[in-house]
Amino acid sequence: MNSMIYAHSVPGKGEEWWEPLPAHLTAVAGRAGEFAAVFGGRELACAMGALHDIGKLQAAFQAYIRGQGPSVDHSTAGAVLAERRYPAPFGRMMAYGIAGHHAGLANGAVAGGGLSALKDRLAAGTAAPLPASRLTPDLDVAPAAVALAAPVLSAGFTHEFSAAFLIRMLFSCLVDADRLETERFYAERRNEKVERGCALTVADLRDRLNAHLAEFDGRTGAVDTLRSEVLAAVRARAGDEPGLFSLTVPTGGGKTLSSLAFALDHAVRHGLRRVIYVIPFTSVVEQTAAVFRKALGSDDAVLEHHSGFDFGPADGGTPDKGNDDEGKDGAKKLRLAAENWDRPVVVTTAVQFFESLFSNRPSACRKLHAIAGSVVILDEAQTLPLTMLRPCLEALRELARGYRSSVVLCTATQPAVTVEAGFRNGLDKVRELAPDPPELYRRLKRVTVATIAEPLSDEALADRLLDEPQALCIVKSRRHARDLLRRIAGADGARHLSTSLCAKHRRAELAAIREDLKAGRTVRLVATSLVEAGVDFSFPTVYRAMAGLDSIAQAAGRCNRNGELPELGRVFVFTSPENEGHRPPAELALFARTAADVLRTHDDPLALDTLRAYFQQVYWLRGDEDLDAAKVGEGPDAIRGILTALCRHRTKHDFPFADIAKAFRIIDSPLVPVIVPYRPAGEPDAVPRLLDALRHAPADKTGGIARDLQPYLVQVPRAARAGLVKAGAAECIRSDEFGDQFVALVNGDLYHPDVGLDWEDPTFRRFETSIF
């Protein structure tokens, strides 16, 4: 190998500007090793980094990079060399990540997901023309060192799940190291500074949170006193050894900030790197991130990551070839790569968190190594989907067992997914942080809950709301919220909150509603479940459509929240007539039916014995197959269950990564974003300006514009967005370059100031011409 062998070229520059292959391999090996050191995998990741691009030694690749031939596979050679050089099972584990660092983790034995099987690639591939020993000495990772590495495979090791999980983590280290080093190289050549990371540490944020919490000192109300007691008790446990915890605090008990305080204290005490807060709903991510930014006094320290922030970067690789088109494309891919979570506080959704853990795509897996050595707070753990529950719990168990992560199951009901709570398939050795949860429930009783026996029509429900000066009604769907609002739209104080409003619109509505409630003005709010977590509303009366008891408990937390009423607040649980057509998704309907069954024999929906009876039916009495029901693979060879599929393929480590990634879906029909023309009162009209910039900016300069557009996104079903585009009510911007990443509403009349985006009739026009 000599200076004429290159890893990357620079468009329009001579070879003296290019990056020599040894320099790239050395840098990636070092960085990947650093990433893996937290879980004991330094040697494995370092060896992967040293070999990942060894295929670029080929004369055919060197011709390609000079524009003198077609692109060639440069990933397989390193994978072949890894399996030959390193002992089983480590060579095969490394080969997965090396072979897939551009295209993704493949199935081990059978092609799938558009990728050839790893076994076939290894059989057909050839090793690099030079062995690893001819590289620089610091890259020559001895097989003996690798064989002694990865203590993650020791105590508590389960062959199939632990091995597959380690492969993903090593893959993450390699992909992120490769992307970061390529980004660094090109930024240096452009004389640009790469803005990454955060200057604040978890210790800095702990101190800032202390200052924020000090503002609440001296409050003497009963609820404030209880919140202070919970906070003190939780923080006193920060020195406990990392592992699995639960925090069971009733809604209104200060759970959010108490869990953050514990996480930061615990991280400081044990040298952990970040706090990752995992939340069921996108809308609550936005609210929680805002609470954290205020409490920590920093926007930069808190990364908010959900579907509205993920514009789906094209997987693939780093720029190699020296022509203008390839350079632009590579830069675009780098800028659109998924976040690698290099912030001390990350707030994300359960969808983003768990689907990434089971993904095979480089962009999704890139951030996984950031979870190691972190505190993961899983908010409302009982909301995990039934059909994916066991794989999700195994992932949490593995993070706590082998990756120096502490996992906190944070819930307002009870730790429904633990062995200690009675769930046979649950997590075990989970330590409760809250002081005496039953006593907390008794002291925080602020409402009565009554179930309305007969179905309540929308007309009757509207009449009830109009009889109340301040009332909240929570229904099961955006459509129901919209229809009910229109029945009371002419009345004083009629309000609406759902994810049909873009984030900026929701924030404006939230602020206005809080101000009206504080001033004692009339508020009749119709909302979806987005208000059930992270929103500090307090109404004297709440109506909640029949749902799971955990959701009813959350709704009750919006009633007399601070115990300010002279009497108990009132919560009414109702059902709607079947002929009104407001049907929830199948799984939510199951929860509602189970709750209705339990309430026939239990008076108080919020009592601990009622909740126990409910969770026994929802989780504990189900068989293993019901809790791991994804179909892995196609045709007659398909396997039911992700854990079963891993077990079947454990002997030769032929794990079906691509098939598992396709099968694992927290949401069966994921939503997609539409950019809407919302303009806040008194502010300039930003969306037209941003869209104009998006239409004309260079492809590699759109990242900042995309970020600025995020507050103006509404998530809708993919079929609904396709209908808008087909009807000419929305358009794909620069679809030849970005596909359907940027879809903007053209018919602005479909975005209403009261209910947000209504896509049912794409031809609707309020005026002859659109405002947009």
Side-chain angles (χ1 to χ4, degrees):
M1 187 182 303
N2 55 53
S3 60
M4 300 301 292
I5 302 296
Y6 296 104
H8 300 120
S9 60
V10 179
K13 297 290 187 179
E15 291 187 14
E16 68 275 11
W17 284 72
W18 297 9
E19 183 176 33
L21 180 59
H24 178 64
L25 296 178
T26 301
V28 173
R31 197 185 283 257
E34 290 176 7
F35 289 155
V38 68
F39 55 86
R42 181 190 294 274
E43 289 81 4
L44 282 165
C46 184
M48 290 172 68
L51 296 176
H52 80 289
D53 273 356
I54 202 71
K56 292 182 177 181
L57 286 165
Q58 302 170 81
F61 182 87
Q62 292 301 309
Y64 160 72
I65 203 174
R66 291 169 169 83
Q68 298 169 2
S71 177
V72 295
D73 169 24
H74 67 269
S75 302
T76 302
V80 172
L81 193 55
E83 187 167 59
R84 290 181 183 177
R85 179 172 173 77
Y86 294 102
F90 299 110
R92 173 58 63 92
M93 289 181 166
M94 296 160 62
Y96 275 106
I98 295 170
H101 74 274
H102 286 300
L105 291 174
N107 291 339
V110 180
L115 301 174
S116 301
L118 177 66
K119 182 176 68 173
D120 295 337
R121 288 184 64 179
L122 294 178
T126 56
L130 293 178
S133 59
R134 292 286 300 276
L135 299 176
T136 54
D138 53 323
L139 293 187
D140 190 7
V141 183
V146 166
L148 295 173
V152 68
L153 299 184
S154 57
F157 169 71
T158 59
H159 189 91
E160 61 274 10
F161 195 87
S162 297
F165 202 85
L166 176 58
I167 289 170
R168 291 183 195 280
M169 280 292 188
L170 292 171
F171 177 58
S172 171
C173 295
L174 174 62
V175 170
D176 197 29
D178 185 31
R179 302 296 192 267
L180 289 173
E181 283 303 325
T182 304
E183 177 185 75
R184 177 199 56 76
F185 168 74
Y186 279 102
E188 289 179 355
R189 292 299 186 264
R190 293 190 298 265
N191 197 29
E192 294 177 356
K193 183 180 180 181
V194 178
E195 297 291 342
R196 282 194 173 272
C198 176
L200 296 172
T201 66
V202 289
D204 296 329
L205 297 180
R206 186 268 318 270
D207 295 341
R208 290 180 174 218
L209 180 62
N210 288 341
H212 175 76
L213 294 173
E215 299 174 6
F216 300 97
D217 291 347
R219 297 188 180 184
T220 57
V223 174
D224 290 319
T225 299
L226 184 144
R227 290 170 180 165
S228 296
E229 292 173 9
V230 169
L231 177 65
V234 168
R235 299 191 79 169
R237 299 285 300 280
D240 289 9
E241 284 300 307
L244 295 168
F245 299 91
S246 60
L247 177 59
T248 310
V249 177
T251 301
K255 175 167 57 78
T256 301
L257 286 180
S258 291
S259 60
L260 178 63
F262 168 80
L264 290 174
D265 289 351
H266 188 66
V268 171
R269 291 285 293 274
H270 295 285
L272 305 181
R273 304 181 297 173
R274 61 181 50 81
V275 176
I276 302 172
Y277 214 95
V278 183
I279 296 175
F281 311 111
T282 298
S283 57
V284 183
V285 169
E286 298 163 353
Q287 299 155 20
T288 303
V291 169
F292 287 176
R293 290 185 186 108
K294 180 179 179 181
L296 301 175
S298 172
D299 289 341
D300 186 51
V302 180
L303 171 65
E304 178 183 343
H305 190 187
H306 53 78
S307 57
F309 279 66
D310 185 0
F311 284 89
D315 276 320
T318 54
D320 296 309
K321 185 178 175 183
N323 61 57
D324 289 344
D325 290 339
E326 179 69 20
K328 290 179 180 178
D329 186 56
K332 179 182 73 174
K333 290 174 182 175
L334 286 169
R335 282 170 172 74
L336 293 178
E339 299 284 351
N340 64 350
W341 285 4
D342 60 347
R343 291 293 186 277
V345 176
V346 178
V347 187
T348 190
T349 61
V351 172
Q352 184 71 238
F353 183 80
F354 286 105
E355 289 192 358
S356 295
L357 282 170
F358 289 90
S359 179
N360 72 324
R361 296 185 299 116
S363 62
C365 293
R366 177 179 175 180
K367 57 184 172 287
L368 296 185
H369 70 87
I371 306 174
S374 298
V375 184
V376 178
I377 301 174
L378 187 65
D379 194 35
E380 306 307 334
Q382 73 281 356
T383 62
L384 291 173
L386 294 179
T387 57
M388 300 292 173
L389 185 63
R390 288 187 63 218
C392 289
L393 296 184
E394 283 300 321
L396 296 175
R397 193 193 325 269
E398 192 67 16
L399 285 169
R401 184 197 70 82
Y403 293 86
R404 292 195 66 240
S405 294
S406 283
V407 178
V408 182
L409 306 174
C410 202
T411 175
T413 49
Q414 62 176 346
V417 295
T418 67
V419 171
E420 288 79 0
F423 180 30
R424 178 174 58 87
N425 293 307
L427 300 173
D428 58 353
K429 299 180 182 178
V430 179
R431 292 159 285 174
E432 176 59 54
L433 296 173
D436 195 359
E439 177 62 12
L440 292 180
Y441 278 83
R442 186 192 67 78
R443 291 173 61 188
L444 269 176
K445 185 175 178 61
R446 294 152 300 169
V447 303
T448 60
V449 182
T451 302
I452 299 173
E454 298 298 322
L456 203 59
S457 69
D458 281 0
E459 182 179 2
L461 184 55
D463 288 341
R464 282 177 172 253
L465 294 178
L466 293 174
D467 286 341
E468 301 281 351
Q470 289 188 341
L472 166 64
C473 181
I474 302 173
V475 294
K476 298 178 183 179
S477 69
R478 292 190 280 192
R479 179 179 178 181
H480 195 180
R482 180 199 65 205
D483 292 349
L484 184 58
L485 176 75
R486 286 173 176 166
R487 288 184 177 272
I488 65 170
D492 187 28
R495 296 275 193 174
H496 166 268
L497 271 178
S498 78
T499 52
S500 291
L501 307 179
C502 68
K504 196 169 186 70
H505 196 169
R506 286 199 301 271
R507 286 196 288 268
E509 287 296 302
L510 284 166
I513 292 166
R514 289 193 182 100
E515 185 61 33
D516 286 346
L517 289 172
K518 183 178 179 181
R521 291 188 282 268
T522 299
V523 179
R524 294 160 175 139
L525 173 60
V526 179
T528 57
S529 59
L530 74 87
V531 302
E532 288 182 346
V535 179
D536 57 353
F537 286 154
S538 184
F539 284 83
T541 303
V542 171
Y543 285 85
R544 203 333 170 166
M546 178 62 75
L549 291 188
D550 52 322
S551 295
I552 292 173
Q554 290 283 6
R558 311 311 123 192
C559 184
N560 194 23
R561 182 174 178 82
N562 300 307
E564 66 272 20
L565 298 177
E567 300 178 350
L568 294 177
R570 300 175 301 156
V571 177
F572 298 98
V573 180
F574 67 93
T575 58
S576 297
E578 292 185 3
N579 61 3
E580 294 199 341
H582 300 304
R583 294 184 178 180
E587 190 169 281
L588 297 184
L590 170 64
F591 294 155
R593 288 195 302 271
T594 304
D597 289 344
V598 170
L599 291 179
R600 291 189 181 99
T601 56
H602 294 75
D603 294 330
D604 184 359
L606 307 185
L608 292 182
D609 62 332
T610 309
L611 291 166
R612 177 173 289 271
Y614 169 75
F615 283 118
Q616 281 179 340
Q617 291 193 38
V618 170
Y619 294 122
W620 303 341
L621 300 182
R622 291 179 173 272
D624 290 352
E625 287 188 354
D626 290 339
L627 303 177
D628 182 17
K631 179 183 175 183
V632 180
E634 303 289 342
D637 295 328
I639 299 172
R640 186 182 183 190
I642 289 170
L643 301 184
T644 303
L646 289 173
C647 187
R648 293 247 186 113
H649 291 276
R650 70 180 182 177
T651 303
K652 296 182 179 180
H653 288 78
D654 288 332
F655 300 122
F657 287 110
D659 289 343
I660 287 173
K662 183 178 179 180
F664 189 94
R665 289 291 179 269
I666 294 286
I667 299 175
D668 288 336
S669 300
L671 304 180
V672 292
V674 174
I675 304 165
V676 298
Y678 172 68
R679 179 181 182 179
E683 294 188 20
D685 201 356
V687 177
R689 173 182 57 81
L690 290 170
L691 291 178
D692 184 66
L694 184 63
R695 290 186 178 97
H696 297 97
D700 60 349
K701 301 294 184 183
T702 58
I705 301 169
R707 289 282 187 230
D708 290 343
L709 283 168
Q710 288 159 10
Y712 303 96
L713 300 179
V714 173
Q715 302 292 325
V716 303
R718 185 174 294 276
R721 190 176 73 171
L724 291 172
V725 173
K726 183 177 180 181
E731 66 167 337
C732 293
I733 297 177
R734 296 172 69 174
S735 59
D736 56 331
E737 297 170 89
F738 302 119
D740 61 358
Q741 293 173 18
F742 301 105
V743 177
L745 195 66
V746 175
N747 180 359
D749 292 342
L750 297 180
Y751 193 80
H752 302 262
D754 50 358
V755 298
L757 180 60
D758 181 356
W759 59 83
E760 287 200 353
D761 180 9
T763 64
F764 172 79
R765 290 282 182 177
R766 200 162 37 235
F767 310 106
E768 286 189 8
T769 58
S770 172
I771 62 172
F772 191 57

mmCIF file with all atom_site columns, all heavy atoms in Angstrom, residues 640-652:
data_model
loop_
_atom_site.group_PDB
_atom_site.id
_atom_site.type_symbol
_atom_site.label_atom_id
_atom_site.label_alt_id
_atom_site.label_comp_id
_atom_site.label_asym_id
_atom_site.label_entity_id
_atom_site.label_seq_id
_atom_site.pdbx_PDB_ins_code
_atom_site.Cartn_x
_atom_site.Cartn_y
_atom_site.Cartn_z
_atom_site.occupancy
_atom_site.B_iso_or_equiv
_atom_site.pdbx_formal_charge
_atom_site.auth_seq_id
_atom_site.auth_comp_id
_atom_site.auth_asym_id
_atom_site.auth_atom_id
_atom_site.pdbx_PDB_model_num
ATOM 1   N N   . ARG A 1 640 ? -42.962 -17.066 13.252 1.00 0.00 ? 640 ARG A N   1
ATOM 2   C CA  . ARG A 1 640 ? -43.709 -16.144 14.100 1.00 0.00 ? 640 ARG A CA  1
ATOM 3   C C   . ARG A 1 640 ? -42.894 -15.836 15.345 1.00 0.00 ? 640 ARG A C   1
ATOM 4   O O   . ARG A 1 640 ? -42.582 -16.721 16.132 1.00 0.00 ? 640 ARG A O   1
ATOM 5   C CB  . ARG A 1 640 ? -45.059 -16.720 14.512 1.00 0.00 ? 640 ARG A CB  1
ATOM 6   C CG  . ARG A 1 640 ? -45.897 -15.704 15.286 1.00 0.00 ? 640 ARG A CG  1
ATOM 7   C CD  . ARG A 1 640 ? -47.214 -16.263 15.746 1.00 0.00 ? 640 ARG A CD  1
ATOM 8   N NE  . ARG A 1 640 ? -48.008 -15.237 16.406 1.00 0.00 ? 640 ARG A NE  1
ATOM 9   C CZ  . ARG A 1 640 ? -49.124 -15.464 17.076 1.00 0.00 ? 640 ARG A CZ  1
ATOM 10  N NH1 . ARG A 1 640 ? -49.594 -16.696 17.183 1.00 0.00 ? 640 ARG A NH1 1
ATOM 11  N NH2 . ARG A 1 640 ? -49.780 -14.477 17.644 1.00 0.00 ? 640 ARG A NH2 1
ATOM 12  N N   . GLY A 1 641 ? -42.549 -14.578 15.507 1.00 0.00 ? 641 GLY A N   1
ATOM 13  C CA  . GLY A 1 641 ? -41.828 -14.161 16.696 1.00 0.00 ? 641 GLY A CA  1
ATOM 14  C C   . GLY A 1 641 ? -40.374 -13.842 16.427 1.00 0.00 ? 641 GLY A C   1
ATOM 15  O O   . GLY A 1 641 ? -39.630 -14.655 15.862 1.00 0.00 ? 641 GLY A O   1
ATOM 16  N N   . ILE A 1 642 ? -39.952 -12.647 16.821 1.00 0.00 ? 642 ILE A N   1
ATOM 17  C CA  . ILE A 1 642 ? -38.565 -12.212 16.627 1.00 0.00 ? 642 ILE A CA  1
ATOM 18  C C   . ILE A 1 642 ? -37.618 -13.028 17.488 1.00 0.00 ? 642 ILE A C   1
ATOM 19  O O   . ILE A 1 642 ? -36.547 -13.460 17.033 1.00 0.00 ? 642 ILE A O   1
ATOM 20  C CB  . ILE A 1 642 ? -38.448 -10.706 16.929 1.00 0.00 ? 642 ILE A CB  1
ATOM 21  C CG1 . ILE A 1 642 ? -39.143 -9.913  15.814 1.00 0.00 ? 642 ILE A CG1 1
ATOM 22  C CG2 . ILE A 1 642 ? -36.993 -10.276 17.075 1.00 0.00 ? 642 ILE A CG2 1
ATOM 23  C CD1 . ILE A 1 642 ? -39.305 -8.444  16.105 1.00 0.00 ? 642 ILE A CD1 1
ATOM 24  N N   . LEU A 1 643 ? -37.996 -13.283 18.737 1.00 0.00 ? 643 LEU A N   1
ATOM 25  C CA  . LEU A 1 643 ? -37.125 -14.065 19.608 1.00 0.00 ? 643 LEU A CA  1
ATOM 26  C C   . LEU A 1 643 ? -37.002 -15.504 19.107 1.00 0.00 ? 643 LEU A C   1
ATOM 27  O O   . LEU A 1 643 ? -35.922 -16.105 19.166 1.00 0.00 ? 643 LEU A O   1
ATOM 28  C CB  . LEU A 1 643 ? -37.657 -14.042 21.037 1.00 0.00 ? 643 LEU A CB  1
ATOM 29  C CG  . LEU A 1 643 ? -37.787 -12.658 21.681 1.00 0.00 ? 643 LEU A CG  1
ATOM 30  C CD1 . LEU A 1 643 ? -38.235 -12.778 23.128 1.00 0.00 ? 643 LEU A CD1 1
ATOM 31  C CD2 . LEU A 1 643 ? -36.477 -11.878 21.600 1.00 0.00 ? 643 LEU A CD2 1
ATOM 32  N N   . THR A 1 644 ? -38.082 -16.044 18.596 1.00 0.00 ? 644 THR A N   1
ATOM 33  C CA  . THR A 1 644 ? -38.038 -17.392 18.022 1.00 0.00 ? 644 THR A CA  1
ATOM 34  C C   . THR A 1 644 ? -37.124 -17.431 16.808 1.00 0.00 ? 644 THR A C   1
ATOM 35  O O   . THR A 1 644 ? -36.337 -18.373 16.622 1.00 0.00 ? 644 THR A O   1
ATOM 36  C CB  . THR A 1 644 ? -39.445 -17.854 17.628 1.00 0.00 ? 644 THR A CB  1
ATOM 37  O OG1 . THR A 1 644 ? -40.293 -17.810 18.783 1.00 0.00 ? 644 THR A OG1 1
ATOM 38  C CG2 . THR A 1 644 ? -39.431 -19.262 17.069 1.00 0.00 ? 644 THR A CG2 1
ATOM 39  N N   . ALA A 1 645 ? -37.219 -16.415 15.951 1.00 0.00 ? 645 ALA A N   1
ATOM 40  C CA  . ALA A 1 645 ? -36.372 -16.365 14.756 1.00 0.00 ? 645 ALA A CA  1
ATOM 41  C C   . ALA A 1 645 ? -34.901 -16.298 15.124 1.00 0.00 ? 645 ALA A C   1
ATOM 42  O O   . ALA A 1 645 ? -34.054 -16.969 14.507 1.00 0.00 ? 645 ALA A O   1
ATOM 43  C CB  . ALA A 1 645 ? -36.763 -15.168 13.891 1.00 0.00 ? 645 ALA A CB  1
ATOM 44  N N   . LEU A 1 646 ? -34.553 -15.507 16.133 1.00 0.00 ? 646 LEU A N   1
ATOM 45  C CA  . LEU A 1 646 ? -33.160 -15.429 16.558 1.00 0.00 ? 646 LEU A CA  1
ATOM 46  C C   . LEU A 1 646 ? -32.686 -16.769 17.110 1.00 0.00 ? 646 LEU A C   1
ATOM 47  O O   . LEU A 1 646 ? -31.571 -17.206 16.829 1.00 0.00 ? 646 LEU A O   1
ATOM 48  C CB  . LEU A 1 646 ? -33.008 -14.332 17.615 1.00 0.00 ? 646 LEU A CB  1
ATOM 49  C CG  . LEU A 1 646 ? -33.150 -12.889 17.127 1.00 0.00 ? 646 LEU A CG  1
ATOM 50  C CD1 . LEU A 1 646 ? -33.156 -11.928 18.308 1.00 0.00 ? 646 LEU A CD1 1
ATOM 51  C CD2 . LEU A 1 646 ? -32.019 -12.536 16.166 1.00 0.00 ? 646 LEU A CD2 1
ATOM 52  N N   . CYS A 1 647 ? -33.547 -17.409 17.885 1.00 0.00 ? 647 CYS A N   1
ATOM 53  C CA  . CYS A 1 647 ? -33.177 -18.699 18.480 1.00 0.00 ? 647 CYS A CA  1
ATOM 54  C C   . CYS A 1 647 ? -32.939 -19.757 17.403 1.00 0.00 ? 647 CYS A C   1
ATOM 55  O O   . CYS A 1 647 ? -31.991 -20.543 17.476 1.00 0.00 ? 647 CYS A O   1
ATOM 56  C CB  . CYS A 1 647 ? -34.270 -19.149 19.441 1.00 0.00 ? 647 CYS A CB  1
ATOM 57  S SG  . CYS A 1 647 ? -33.854 -20.635 20.386 1.00 0.00 ? 647 CYS A SG  1
ATOM 58  N N   . ARG A 1 648 ? -33.770 -19.769 16.385 1.00 0.00 ? 648 ARG A N   1
ATOM 59  C CA  . ARG A 1 648 ? -33.652 -20.780 15.328 1.00 0.00 ? 648 ARG A CA  1
ATOM 60  C C   . ARG A 1 648 ? -32.327 -20.645 14.567 1.00 0.00 ? 648 ARG A C   1
ATOM 61  O O   . ARG A 1 648 ? -31.830 -21.612 14.004 1.00 0.00 ? 648 ARG A O   1
ATOM 62  C CB  . ARG A 1 648 ? -34.810 -20.623 14.339 1.00 0.00 ? 648 ARG A CB  1
ATOM 63  C CG  . ARG A 1 648 ? -36.161 -20.947 14.939 1.00 0.00 ? 648 ARG A CG  1
ATOM 64  C CD  . ARG A 1 648 ? -36.781 -22.199 14.329 1.00 0.00 ? 648 ARG A CD  1
ATOM 65  N NE  . ARG A 1 648 ? -38.134 -22.388 14.833 1.00 0.00 ? 648 ARG A NE  1
ATOM 66  C CZ  . ARG A 1 648 ? -39.219 -22.292 14.098 1.00 0.00 ? 648 ARG A CZ  1
ATOM 67  N NH1 . ARG A 1 648 ? -39.106 -22.020 12.804 1.00 0.00 ? 648 ARG A NH1 1
ATOM 68  N NH2 . ARG A 1 648 ? -40.406 -22.478 14.630 1.00 0.00 ? 648 ARG A NH2 1
ATOM 69  N N   . HIS A 1 649 ? -31.780 -19.452 14.523 1.00 0.00 ? 649 HIS A N   1
ATOM 70  C CA  . HIS A 1 649 ? -30.588 -19.206 13.702 1.00 0.00 ? 649 HIS A CA  1
ATOM 71  C C   . HIS A 1 649 ? -29.322 -19.018 14.540 1.00 0.00 ? 649 HIS A C   1
ATOM 72  O O   . HIS A 1 649 ? -28.310 -18.548 14.026 1.00 0.00 ? 649 HIS A O   1
ATOM 73  C CB  . HIS A 1 649 ? -30.802 -17.960 12.827 1.00 0.00 ? 649 HIS A CB  1
ATOM 74  C CG  . HIS A 1 649 ? -31.817 -18.141 11.753 1.00 0.00 ? 649 HIS A CG  1
ATOM 75  N ND1 . HIS A 1 649 ? -31.530 -18.706 10.540 1.00 0.00 ? 649 HIS A ND1 1
ATOM 76  C CD2 . HIS A 1 649 ? -33.145 -17.844 11.722 1.00 0.00 ? 649 HIS A CD2 1
ATOM 77  C CE1 . HIS A 1 649 ? -32.622 -18.746 9.792  1.00 0.00 ? 649 HIS A CE1 1
ATOM 78  N NE2 . HIS A 1 649 ? -33.615 -18.229 10.486 1.00 0.00 ? 649 HIS A NE2 1
ATOM 79  N N   . ARG A 1 650 ? -29.369 -19.412 15.800 1.00 0.00 ? 650 ARG A N   1
ATOM 80  C CA  . ARG A 1 650 ? -28.242 -19.074 16.671 1.00 0.00 ? 650 ARG A CA  1
ATOM 81  C C   . ARG A 1 650 ? -27.010 -19.962 16.458 1.00 0.00 ? 650 ARG A C   1
ATOM 82  O O   . ARG A 1 650 ? -25.890 -19.535 16.721 1.00 0.00 ? 650 ARG A O   1
ATOM 83  C CB  . ARG A 1 650 ? -28.670 -19.155 18.128 1.00 0.00 ? 650 ARG A CB  1
ATOM 84  C CG  . ARG A 1 650 ? -28.945 -20.554 18.642 1.00 0.00 ? 650 ARG A CG  1
ATOM 85  C CD  . ARG A 1 650 ? -29.369 -20.501 20.106 1.00 0.00 ? 650 ARG A CD  1
ATOM 86  N NE  . ARG A 1 650 ? -29.591 -21.840 20.642 1.00 0.00 ? 650 ARG A NE  1
ATOM 87  C CZ  . ARG A 1 650 ? -29.903 -22.068 21.905 1.00 0.00 ? 650 ARG A CZ  1
ATOM 88  N NH1 . ARG A 1 650 ? -30.019 -21.051 22.736 1.00 0.00 ? 650 ARG A NH1 1
ATOM 89  N NH2 . ARG A 1 650 ? -30.096 -23.295 22.342 1.00 0.00 ? 650 ARG A NH2 1
ATOM 90  N N   . THR A 1 651 ? -27.195 -21.192 15.981 1.00 0.00 ? 651 THR A N   1
ATOM 91  C CA  . THR A 1 651 ? -26.082 -22.129 15.905 1.00 0.00 ? 651 THR A CA  1
ATOM 92  C C   . THR A 1 651 ? -24.937 -21.599 15.048 1.00 0.00 ? 651 THR A C   1
ATOM 93  O O   . THR A 1 651 ? -23.769 -21.629 15.441 1.00 0.00 ? 651 THR A O   1
ATOM 94  C CB  . THR A 1 651 ? -26.555 -23.487 15.344 1.00 0.00 ? 651 THR A CB  1
ATOM 95  O OG1 . THR A 1 651 ? -27.612 -23.981 16.179 1.00 0.00 ? 651 THR A OG1 1
ATOM 96  C CG2 . THR A 1 651 ? -25.414 -24.480 15.329 1.00 0.00 ? 651 THR A CG2 1
ATOM 97  N N   . LYS A 1 652 ? -25.283 -21.078 13.865 1.00 0.00 ? 652 LYS A N   1
ATOM 98  C CA  . LYS A 1 652 ? -24.254 -20.558 12.960 1.00 0.00 ? 652 LYS A CA  1
ATOM 99  C C   . LYS A 1 652 ? -24.238 -19.034 12.919 1.00 0.00 ? 652 LYS A C   1
ATOM 100 O O   . LYS A 1 652 ? -23.581 -18.443 12.063 1.00 0.00 ? 652 LYS A O   1
ATOM 101 C CB  . LYS A 1 652 ? -24.491 -21.106 11.555 1.00 0.00 ? 652 LYS A CB  1
ATOM 102 C CG  . LYS A 1 652 ? -24.352 -22.613 11.457 1.00 0.00 ? 652 LYS A CG  1
ATOM 103 C CD  . LYS A 1 652 ? -24.551 -23.082 10.019 1.00 0.00 ? 652 LYS A CD  1
ATOM 104 C CE  . LYS A 1 652 ? -24.385 -24.597 9.909  1.00 0.00 ? 652 LYS A CE  1
ATOM 105 N NZ  . LYS A 1 652 ? -24.577 -25.078 8.515  1.00 0.00 ? 652 LYS A NZ  1
#
